[in-house]
């Protein structure tokens, strides 16, 4: 792959050409489709000039080029409630950027994409790092080579890196927990969350085993701590310079919650309680006995709805239902306490491991907005968020984040009430405001993300949230790179979004090139190891 820099007093062009058959913008099983030749063009403000960046694709090649010229912008400035110049914009890499064999997937496509994002003015990249890839074969045996290769590429392109340490698995793409953990799970089934039907959720360990030595004689917290220490050592050359932030996985999909929707396909209900693995049942039994109600410790609520049932179809979540009874308060207090304790344990381990490294620590909450107009707010209850005794559910979590000097990532900043189904009784806007207010009270810095899928008016809604003066969001991560992200329609919309954020600093690529020399930088295209970046 070649990057050619051609300079003269009026125009500078930077071009990357790649064979489409080898590259394409193909990630996972998806690829850009379209006519035989597609072009995405956009203009961004750079001092007194305007920079045009184009991504062209054809069956034979993909081209990314930037041209600085005196053309007028196609966008007009938008009025700001709050200046967005200080908001740092990151873009997430694909979940399967590194394979379970520690190869960098789609290396050429990712490198070309990073260069395009750098030219556009993006601050950095979020890299998901999976426990099941790094510590796959045996406990304490870490293999970082694939992720180190990506970090080196990001550094040489001139972007910052935010690492997400993922102690969970993924169904799409399929990424499992470490093989040695899976073997323990087969022999010791109690390490996974389990619903009342006996179905196990195998992409995350149960919160009830946090301090139980179920992993080859060690507790999950000890194993997570070893993982963090190994990461710090392996990436020591990048810490505090290229790597500016680290997110700790706190549960399913990295979010602090129970896997209340185990399969993730049927979201019409409020989800189910995940308290039936043997360690959860043991903890419940002990809690019931300690409160003088031993019969309440035999299992979860018997009158809660199933996955595919709406909340009001059974008595538990109804007004005046079991959730408001003495038993309901007992169970929900216990259930939510395990969630908050888990967050405290993980963030404490990370805070200790990364103290003094110069990186910010983050944890992610879910935005459980479905059914939140009901008094019971059932989707939040099954996921572990319960208010009792006048203590707000999110305030308690924010206190833990503040205690551990940790930022809170809140997704769903692209969601609006007007695009929700009236039948779902959903209000993402009010829930987002509630969480942000809790963070403000506790002095917790908020970072934002969008939801997993594109939604109507999503970019406009993100900008509105970032302009909110009540809670300043100084970092936003857009999820995530892939074929859809680089499709002509979506990438054009993304560039308009970046333009509206006014986030533009001159890239090193944009400085004048003396004379008419052509400088060429070659990037290695192997599937493993860091790519080389040299000026010819």
């Amino acid at each position: 792959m070649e990057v050619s820099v051609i300079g003269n007093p009026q125009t500078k062009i930077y071009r990357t050409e790649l064979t489409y058959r080898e590259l394409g913008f193909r990630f996972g099983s998806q690829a850009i489709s379209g006519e035989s030749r597609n072009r995405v063009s956009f203009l961004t403000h750079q001092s007194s000039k305007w920079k045009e960046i184009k991504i062209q694709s054809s069956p034979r090649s993909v081209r990314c080029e930037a041209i600085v010229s005196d053309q007028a912008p196609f966008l007009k400035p938008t009025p700001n409630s709050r200046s967005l110049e200080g908001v740092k914009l990151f873009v997430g890499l694909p979940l399967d950027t590194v394979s379970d064999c520690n190869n960098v997937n789609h290396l050429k496509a990712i490198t070309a994409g990073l260069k395009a994002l750098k030219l556009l003015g993006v601050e950095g990249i979020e890299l998901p790092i999976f426990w099941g890839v790094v510590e796959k074969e045996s406990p304490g045996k870490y293999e970082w080579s694939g992720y180190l290769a990506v970090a080196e590429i990001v550094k040489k392109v001139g972007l910052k890196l935010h690492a997400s340490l993922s102690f969970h698995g993924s169904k799409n793409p399929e990424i499992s927990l470490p093989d040695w953990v899976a073997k323990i799970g087969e022999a010791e089934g109690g390490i996974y969350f389990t619903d009342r039907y006996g179905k196990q959720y195998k992409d995350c360990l149960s919160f009830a085993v946090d301090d139980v030595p179920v992993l080859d004689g060690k507790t999950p917290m000890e194993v997570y701590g070893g993982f963090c220490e190994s990461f710090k050592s392996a990436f020591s050359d990048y810490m505090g310079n290229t790597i500016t932030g680290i997110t700790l996985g706190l549960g399913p999909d990295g979010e602090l919650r129970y896997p209340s929707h185990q399969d993730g396909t049927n979201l019409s209900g409020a989800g189910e309680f995940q308290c039936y693995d043997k360690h959860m049942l043991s903890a419940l039994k002990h809690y019931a006995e300690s409160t003088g109600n031993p019969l309440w410790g035999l299992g979860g609520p018997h009158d809660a709805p199933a996955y595919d049932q709406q909340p009001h179809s059974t008595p538990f979540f109804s007004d005046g239902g079991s959730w408001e009874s003495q038993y309901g308060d007992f169970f929900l207090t216990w259930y939510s306490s395990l969630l908050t304790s888990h967050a405290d344990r993980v963030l404490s381990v990370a805070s200790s491991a990364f103290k003094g490294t110069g990186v910010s620590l983050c944890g992610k909450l879910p935005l459980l907005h479905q059914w939140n107009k009901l008094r019971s707010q059932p989707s939040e209850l099954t996921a572990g968020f319960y208010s009792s005794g006048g203590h707000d559910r999110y305030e308690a979590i924010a206190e833990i984040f503040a205690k551990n000097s940790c930022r809170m990532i809140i997704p769903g900043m692209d969601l609006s009430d007007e695009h929700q189904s009236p039948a779902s009784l959903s209000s993402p806007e009010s829930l987002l405001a509630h969480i942000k207010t809790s963070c403000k009270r506790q002095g917790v810095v908020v970072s934002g993300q969008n939801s997993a899928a594109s939604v109507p008016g999503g970019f406009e809604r993100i900008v509105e949230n970032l302009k909110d003066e009540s809670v300043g969001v100084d970092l936003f991560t857009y999820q995530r790179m892939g074929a859809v992200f680089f499709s002509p329609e979506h990438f054009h919309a993304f560039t308009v979004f970046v333009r509206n954020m006014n986030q533009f600093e001159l890239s090193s690529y944009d400085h004048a090139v003396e004379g008419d020399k052509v400088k060429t930088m070659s990037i290695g295209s192997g599937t493993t190891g860091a790519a080389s970046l040299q000026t010819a």
Side-chain angles (χ1 to χ4, degrees):
M1 182 173 82
E2 270 192 350
V3 180
S4 298
V5 182
I6 307 170
N8 62 48
Q10 287 80 35
T11 306
K12 300 180 287 297
I13 300 177
Y14 315 96
R15 177 172 299 164
T16 301
E17 295 195 13
L18 303 164
T19 303
Y20 184 83
R21 184 178 58 188
E22 294 179 338
L23 164 66
F25 277 103
R26 179 183 294 275
F27 296 87
S29 60
Q30 292 184 305
I32 290 178
S33 61
E35 299 176 358
S36 60
R37 192 166 189 83
N38 295 311
R39 171 176 292 189
V40 181
S41 300
F42 49 90
L43 297 168
T44 59
H45 187 258
Q46 291 278 23
S47 301
S48 61
K49 299 282 187 179
W50 286 87
K51 180 172 66 179
E52 181 180 7
I53 303 174
K54 299 176 182 178
I55 290 183
Q56 299 179 331
S57 63
S58 73
R60 296 174 56 188
S61 67
V62 172
R63 174 180 298 171
C64 169
E65 61 183 38
I67 304 172
V68 178
S69 69
D70 293 313
Q71 298 180 50
F74 71 82
L75 277 174
K76 295 181 180 180
T78 57
N80 290 348
S81 302
R82 165 180 171 256
S83 173
L84 299 182
E85 292 181 2
V87 180
K88 296 180 176 64
L89 177 62
F90 280 61
V91 174
L93 284 168
L95 293 176
D96 62 347
T97 295
V98 175
S99 72
D100 60 1
C101 296
N102 260 282
N103 295 328
V104 180
N105 290 324
H106 330 294
L107 177 62
K108 291 182 179 180
I110 285 174
T111 303
L114 295 184
K115 288 181 177 294
L117 294 176
K118 175 64 178 177
L119 290 170
L120 179 58
V122 168
E123 174 80 8
I125 296 299
E126 179 262 341
L127 172 64
I129 298 177
F130 282 91
W131 181 28
V133 172
V134 175
E135 200 177 357
K136 179 181 179 180
E137 296 181 357
S138 59
K141 182 181 179 182
Y142 307 102
E143 178 53 72
W144 298 102
S145 59
Y147 293 113
L148 282 166
V150 176
E152 185 66 12
I153 295 168
V154 171
K155 176 183 177 180
K156 288 178 176 177
V157 171
L159 293 166
K160 298 299 183 183
L161 182 64
H162 188 106
S164 294
L165 305 186
S166 305
F167 300 116
H168 60 276
S170 168
K171 286 186 170 60
N172 187 22
E174 187 174 347
I175 303 171
S176 62
L177 297 186
D179 291 347
W180 61 274
V181 174
K183 290 177 181 177
I184 293 172
E186 292 175 3
E188 173 62 48
I191 68 173
Y192 300 124
F193 287 112
T194 306
D195 63 18
R196 58 180 163 178
Y197 316 108
K199 183 179 179 183
Q200 296 178 327
Y201 180 81
K202 296 184 178 181
D203 286 332
C204 181
L205 298 182
S206 170
F207 300 153
V209 301
D210 278 356
D211 288 329
V212 181
V214 294
L215 299 180
D216 198 32
K218 292 186 176 181
T219 70
M221 290 303 111
E222 290 172 332
V223 172
Y224 298 164
F227 189 91
C228 291
E229 291 290 348
S230 178
F231 173 84
K232 181 175 67 173
S233 175
F235 289 82
S236 59
D237 291 342
Y238 303 92
M239 299 291 282
N241 43 74
T242 299
I243 297 176
T244 57
I246 296 173
T247 295
L248 282 303
L250 296 175
D253 299 324
E255 298 177 337
L256 179 62
R257 61 179 173 86
Y258 287 93
S260 49
H261 290 278
Q262 272 211 30
D263 56 10
T265 57
N266 192 331
L267 300 178
S268 61
E272 293 205 33
F273 295 107
Q274 307 294 313
C275 60
Y276 292 89
D277 67 77
K278 72 176 186 179
H279 295 283
M280 288 286 285
L281 288 173
S282 176
L284 176 59
K285 181 176 182 293
H286 176 76
Y287 181 70
E289 290 173 350
S290 69
T291 59
N293 298 289
L295 294 180
W296 288 353
L298 301 179
H302 68 279
D303 56 348
Y307 291 114
D308 59 351
Q309 291 181 307
Q310 295 193 345
H312 54 265
S313 63
T314 65
F316 189 84
F317 294 120
S318 301
D319 286 348
S322 302
W323 74 278
E324 294 188 275
S325 68
Q326 187 178 358
Y327 164 75
D329 181 66
F330 155 84
F331 175 80
L332 295 170
T333 298
W334 167 79
Y335 192 68
S336 62
S337 71
L338 265 66
L339 182 84
T340 53
S341 295
H342 173 74
D344 194 17
R345 292 188 188 103
V346 175
L347 297 181
S348 294
V349 165
S351 180
S352 176
F354 296 114
K355 184 177 181 180
T357 59
V359 301
S360 61
L361 295 183
C362 307
K364 183 179 177 181
L365 258 64
L367 191 69
L368 303 160
H369 58 87
Q370 199 167 29
W371 303 110
N372 73 324
K373 290 182 180 179
L374 291 175
R375 283 185 57 244
S376 58
Q377 296 171 327
S379 293
E380 294 172 76
L381 297 186
T382 57
F385 292 84
Y386 174 61
S387 300
S388 63
H391 199 172
D392 182 80
R393 57 202 180 282
Y394 293 105
E395 195 106 5
I397 298 295
E399 285 180 9
I400 289 171
F401 275 64
K403 168 188 170 185
N404 293 287
S405 303
C406 190
R407 293 168 173 257
M408 185 180 291
I409 299 172
I410 310 176
M413 289 198 172
D414 54 338
L415 301 178
S416 61
D417 289 1
E418 66 175 309
H419 292 112
Q420 305 304 311
S421 167
S424 70
L425 298 176
S426 169
S427 178
E429 293 180 27
S430 63
L431 181 57
L432 181 60
H434 184 141
I435 300 173
K436 289 196 292 185
T437 299
S438 296
C439 288
K440 184 176 183 180
R441 287 174 181 163
Q442 297 298 325
V444 174
V445 178
V446 172
S447 296
Q449 284 187 9
N450 56 307
S451 53
S454 294
V455 296
F459 286 119
E460 292 82 357
R461 184 61 194 159
I462 292 170
V463 171
E464 289 177 17
N465 275 309
L466 296 181
K467 288 179 179 178
D468 182 6
E469 292 181 328
S470 62
V471 179
V473 178
D474 66 352
L475 189 150
F476 183 86
T477 302
Y478 188 84
Q479 302 292 5
R480 107 179 15 257
M481 277 176 62
V484 173
F485 179 86
F486 283 111
S487 64
E489 181 179 353
H490 180 273
F491 197 61
H492 174 84
F494 179 75
T495 63
V496 175
F497 161 65
V498 177
R499 166 68 186 95
N500 276 282
M501 289 183 65
N502 289 326
Q503 181 181 303
F504 303 107
E505 296 179 0
L506 280 177
S507 160
S508 59
Y509 294 134
D510 295 325
H511 294 296
V513 180
E514 295 182 2
D516 293 323
K517 288 185 178 181
V518 175
K519 295 183 179 180
T520 300
M521 291 176 288
S522 299
I523 300 179
S525 58
T527 57
T528 60
S532 61
L533 181 60
Q534 301 173 339
T535 301

